[in-house]
Amino acid sequence: MTIIGSVAARRASAVGLALVACLTANPTPPTAFASTEPPPGAGLDRYYRQRLDWGSCVQGPDDTTGRDLEKAGAQCAEVTVPLDYADPRGRTITVAMSRLKATDTRRRVGPLLINFGGPGGTALGEPPALRKVMKDVGARYDIIGMDPRFVGRSTPLDCHWPVGHSVFSAGLGRAGFDRQVALHKDLAAKCRATNASVLPHVSTRNTARDMDVIRGALGERKLSYLGYSYGSYLGTVYTQMFPGRHDRVVLDGAPDPRRYTPRLMRGVERENERALADWAVWAAKRHAAYGLGRTRAQVLATVDRVVGASARGLTLGTAPDVFRVDDTQVPTLIFGGISEDTDSARAAVGEHLSVMARAAKGRPTRLSPEFKEYLKAVVTGRNSPTGSVQTAILCGDVAAPRDPERYWRDIQRSRAAHPLFGPLTNNIGPCAFWDRPREEPTQVRQDARALIVSATGDPRTPHTGAVALRGLLPGSRLITLEGANQHGVYGYYGSTCVDEKVNAYLATGELPTTDGTCVKQTG
């Protein structure tokens, strides 16, 4: 996260870095259910009471997302919201959303808004897939996909970066770190030069306010919600800002909201080392396919050699698609692939490292279409809009330390125990050069009856974060999937146990009487 790649995007592209959380906590006593926000009448009536113009989702002949939505029977609309909620009569922006209406109208529950993380991930195209995940209960909801403010079709933000995100390693020495300082200072400057007028209003709290405008514009008293990864943080913020206005809430891959800062990945080193080691066991059994080693130790030694060789630069691919990567980028490429432990995700990591291992030996390499797209997403500016808004949200939520030497000290302290991931998780980012946020971070002081889902080996939002959130929300329940190194579980991982528990909650609105445990399915 900082690629905090959205869960939906990661399914499609295998690019998924993300949020971090750690430590458990004592519960915060709940307070009365009173909104922390001004009522709609405080200059916001026209937004809450606006009429939505539902129509086709298709925006042109190449709009596959729009065509898929239309084929499923969904419609799209734009909701108008204030750029600055403190100035509701000022500049406005639009937020794009899709709706797949309930077909079981007799037992209709209401709207279910979804967010697949990022931050900065789009969910506009997701309602048809989610309805399948929800099985019979899906027909009872109006499923709402939303592109949050400045994402996708929602007044998009682009800083015109030369890279696709802002998460890189500091490399193997001071020279790499100094290059990173210069890069991130430049990325921040590009955002300020291109989007200075909107950057102060790019934040999770403003996205939560947009969600409540959507609730009002839909004419609904309450909004149900499903959020993955960063989306679970957004959902938590919504419950705190608008208590009493949410119905059924599912938070999958949840961080500890007190640990939410631009330095989200600090503390996930061990989870990622465990995920990499488990992947190495898998790869060792497939030495004939990938040539990385016949034992876990041999595979991990190959990884170390690849990273070491990358300090001199690795050339990947053949003309016209040739990529030059170094020791600040190769750890990111590895990190991005191990957020899931499915065979397909592990095979992608095997193919990537096989190519990089050949390059480390000076051999010519050919790239699969998938690896080529992954490299374009990470080390070129093709995904600049995604990386730009992701960073703008993080920087707009919580201030980051500004002294580069503080980051360098943290990197060096972490490097001894975690040589591969420590320099990545502790590295500097653009937020060190950003203007301070307009608002303080959201504090969890209201209870919320949410269903939290987490895997014990989650490499992005560690299980400790979900346990901590469970403690902060005494009325919630936690479903734990044991034995999986997986970020994002419900509906996409194949855990029948988890899926049935979540769908039962969405069907009845009744949380389990106690926390529950599921075990990773094998075979």
Side-chain angles (χ1 to χ4, degrees):
M1 247 178 13
T2 311
I3 285 185
I4 305 171
S6 74
V7 172
R10 195 183 66 242
R11 309 283 173 199
S13 69
V15 181
L17 323 180
L19 282 171
V20 110
C22 31
L23 305 181
T24 57
N26 295 320
T28 300
T31 58
F33 281 101
S35 174
T36 62
E37 289 296 294
L44 297 172
D45 288 42
R46 68 185 180 108
Y47 299 105
Y48 275 85
R49 296 176 182 174
Q50 66 186 285
R51 178 183 176 275
L52 298 177
D53 185 15
W54 294 99
S56 174
C57 297
V58 181
Q59 292 193 333
D62 298 325
D63 183 8
T64 56
T65 297
R67 287 203 305 273
D68 289 345
L69 284 166
E70 189 167 70
K71 183 178 179 181
Q75 290 186 306
C76 289
E78 290 185 338
V79 60
T80 300
V81 298
L83 172 67
D84 181 357
Y85 276 84
D87 182 19
R89 291 179 175 82
R91 178 180 169 184
T92 63
I93 58 174
T94 57
V95 172
M97 59 182 185
S98 60
R99 179 177 66 179
L100 191 58
K101 293 188 72 173
T103 55
D104 186 352
T105 55
R106 185 176 63 84
R107 298 188 297 164
R108 179 181 177 274
V109 177
L112 173 69
L113 190 144
I114 54 179
N115 184 284
F116 279 79
T122 173
L124 188 94
E126 294 303 317
L130 182 60
R131 176 157 287 177
K132 293 179 182 178
V133 164
M134 296 172 69
K135 301 189 183 302
D136 293 344
V137 71
R140 297 174 57 190
Y141 285 88
D142 292 346
I143 303 177
I144 308 295
M146 177 183 74
D147 282 357
R149 57 170 49 205
F150 306 114
V151 173
R153 299 185 184 185
S154 297
T155 316
L157 181 154
D158 184 3
C159 299
H160 303 292
W161 283 356
V163 290
H165 65 89
S166 60
V167 184
F168 295 101
S169 173
L172 299 181
R174 181 72 197 211
F177 176 71
D178 289 342
R179 293 198 305 274
Q180 286 291 297
V181 172
L183 169 67
H184 293 297
K185 187 175 183 179
D186 180 62
L187 296 181
K190 281 181 165 57
C191 282
R192 194 173 293 110
T194 55
N195 292 276
S197 65
V198 302
L199 290 181
H201 312 292
V202 187
S203 71
T204 298
R205 288 178 64 85
N206 278 334
T207 299
R209 293 178 178 114
D210 296 344
M211 288 167 53
D212 202 56
V213 169
I214 287 172
R215 176 198 59 77
L218 291 171
E220 300 286 348
R221 189 171 66 89
K222 292 188 176 183
L223 185 71
S224 292
Y225 181 82
L226 166 65
Y228 293 85
S229 187
Y230 161 81
S232 62
Y233 175 72
L234 171 62
T236 302
V237 170
Y238 183 79
T239 68
Q240 301 306 297
M241 294 178 66
F242 300 99
R245 300 185 196 174
H246 53 85
D247 187 4
R248 303 167 199 190
V249 176
V250 179
L251 308 174
D252 190 325
D256 179 346
R258 298 162 307 175
R259 307 294 172 180
Y260 175 86
T261 76
R263 306 186 75 188
L264 287 163
M265 289 185 296
R266 295 185 72 205
V268 299
E269 297 86 7
R270 284 188 173 84
E271 285 82 0
N272 282 277
E273 287 165 352
R274 185 184 311 122
L276 182 63
D278 288 350
W279 167 81
V281 172
W282 181 94
K285 296 176 181 177
R286 295 159 178 81
H287 176 72
Y290 303 112
L292 299 172
R294 300 180 184 278
T295 66
R296 183 184 73 167
Q298 290 175 356
V299 173
L300 293 176
T302 299
V303 172
D304 289 343
R305 285 195 296 273
V306 167
V307 174
S310 70
R312 301 183 298 275
L314 300 180
T315 300
L316 307 178
T318 55
D321 295 304
V322 177
F323 303 86
R324 185 76 174 171
V325 295
D326 62 21
D327 56 331
T328 67
Q329 298 162 326
V330 167
T332 298
L333 297 173
I334 297 169
F335 184 85
I338 58 174
S339 61
E340 300 185 48
D341 66 5
T342 61
D343 279 348
S344 59
R346 285 177 162 175
V349 179
E351 190 258 327
H352 299 170
L353 273 164
S354 180
V355 169
M356 289 191 284
R358 290 198 296 273
K361 295 177 180 178
R363 298 175 182 173
T365 59
R366 287 188 175 275
L367 304 177
S368 68
E370 293 77 16
F371 194 19
K372 189 183 304 180
E373 291 303 302
Y374 185 18
L375 287 164
K376 287 180 180 178
V378 174
V379 303
T380 78
R382 193 188 66 175
N383 276 16
S384 170
T386 300
S388 299
V389 72
Q390 178 181 88
T391 300
I393 293 169
L394 289 168
C395 301
D397 281 344
V398 186
R402 307 191 74 82
D403 181 8
E405 293 307 312
R406 177 171 173 178
Y407 295 88
W408 177 246
R409 289 192 296 270
D410 290 341
I411 289 165
Q412 292 299 82
R413 278 194 292 265
S414 182
R415 191 190 300 274
H418 311 291
L420 176 56
F421 294 125
L424 187 154
T425 59
N426 290 275
N427 197 22
I428 198 167
C431 298
F433 308 99
W434 218 263
D435 293 340
R436 290 190 62 84
R438 289 279 182 95
E439 297 186 81
E440 292 297 315
T442 302
Q443 302 297 314
V444 177
R445 296 192 175 99
Q446 308 273 358
D447 197 3
R449 292 179 55 79
L451 186 62
I452 304 166
V453 179
S454 177
T456 54
D458 187 334
R460 295 296 175 268
T461 50
H463 183 60
T464 49
V467 173
L469 181 60
R470 168 69 176 90
L472 291 170
L473 303 175
S476 67
R477 294 293 181 268
L478 173 62
I479 299 174
T480 298
L481 176 62
E482 293 187 342
N485 302 322
Q486 178 68 23
H487 182 55
V489 178
Y490 166 63
Y492 295 95
Y493 187 59
S495 172
T496 302
C497 174
V498 170
D499 293 355
E500 288 179 349
K501 290 179 184 295
V502 174
N503 284 337
Y505 166 63
L506 292 173
T508 65
E510 296 294 326
L511 288 167
T513 55
T514 62
D515 294 340
T517 300
C518 297
V519 178
K520 177 184 175 180
Q521 297 167 209
T522 58

